[in-house]
Amino acid sequence: DLDRQPMVVRGHDMSNRAILIKFPRISAETDVEAYVMAHLYIAERAMAATEILSRGKEEKIVALLDFETYSSSCKPPLSAMRLLIPLLQTNYPERVDHIVIVEPSFWMRAVFKLLSMFIDPHTMEKIVLINGETQRINKLKPLVAKEQAMPFMLPDGELTAKVDINHYLENVPFFSLYDAEV
């Protein structure tokens, strides 16, 4: 499913927590089992990279969701989300330091605002919605150095904009970041 929903572990935050980047889905076609397995696989890679980067001092990751070119016509089925979310909550409690959503749509911000009344305040502190360049700079710059950011994250991000998912899966060691020397 990573061909339809590209995800990589690329860059790290100021505390050496790996950044799991989830790009916009490019196909509506979804195999629910493959969707769930792809997310679990990338989460495991991110946690392994964090452990290596931090020399075992950190266990958490940063999840960054890019919605800039998101199309609702490519959204995964609700059944996939219903299966994935409880698995993540059960198997990975307290493993996410931040969830950063870049350029969420109006409906996503509205639903988030409505649901935020029911979300634990500790959890709410972890979720960051970013719209526009000014918010990217103000909210991401304290978290991620420009050397560890892609241009969609920070305007001066130095990591290339292009990601080759096949290169990542076939050539980059499980515990390494996308840009690791191989």
Side-chain angles (χ1 to χ4, degrees):
D1 199 65
L2 290 170
D3 288 334
R4 295 182 201 115
Q5 178 74 70
M7 294 181 280
V8 296
V9 181
R10 190 165 198 203
H12 59 82
D13 73 359
M14 301 292 193
S15 297
N16 288 321
R17 291 180 285 253
I19 301 172
L20 184 160
I21 301 175
K22 183 175 177 178
F23 296 101
R25 191 164 185 78
I26 54 178
S27 171
E29 184 182 330
T30 305
D31 174 326
V32 172
E33 185 177 342
Y35 177 86
V36 170
M37 295 305 287
H39 281 77
L40 296 177
Y41 173 76
I42 294 297
E44 288 288 340
R45 282 189 78 152
M47 286 179 268
T50 291
E51 188 169 339
I52 296 294
L53 287 167
S54 71
R55 294 186 162 86
K57 294 178 182 158
E58 281 291 337
E59 293 184 339
K60 296 182 179 190
I61 65 170
V62 174
L64 197 141
L65 315 177
D66 176 12
F67 277 84
E68 192 163 15
T69 59
Y70 171 78
S71 169
S72 61
S73 65
C74 294
K75 69 182 177 201
L78 197 53
S79 60
M81 300 304 293
R82 283 189 188 136
L83 187 58
L84 178 62
I85 291 172
L87 279 172
L88 292 173
Q89 289 174 328
T90 302
N91 295 299
Y92 304 103
E94 295 299 319
R95 295 302 297 261
V96 175
D97 186 69
H98 281 88
I99 297 172
V100 180
I101 303 171
V102 178
E103 300 301 334
S105 64
F106 170 78
W107 67 264
M108 184 181 280
R109 290 190 313 272
V111 168
F112 178 75
K113 189 158 183 88
L114 182 66
L115 292 177
S116 66
M117 296 181 286
F118 305 103
I119 298 175
D120 177 68
H122 176 68
T123 302
M124 282 299 297
E125 291 173 1
K126 296 179 179 186
I127 302 171
V128 180
L129 275 62
I130 296 176
N131 283 95
E133 189 173 306
T134 301
Q135 284 189 0
R136 290 178 197 205
I137 293 168
N138 292 340
K139 293 182 178 183
L140 277 178
K141 207 142 190 115
L143 186 64
V144 182
K146 68 181 181 178
E147 298 82 13
Q148 299 298 321
M150 293 178 69
F152 83 91
M153 297 162 63
L154 291 172
D156 59 350
E158 294 180 4
L159 297 178
T160 61
K162 185 161 174 48
V163 169
D164 180 346
I165 192 67
N166 291 322
H167 163 75
Y168 179 65
L169 295 173
E170 296 169 11
N171 301 315
V172 178
F174 184 82
F175 54 84
S176 296
L177 301 176
Y178 178 87
D179 297 292
E181 302 275 329
V182 284

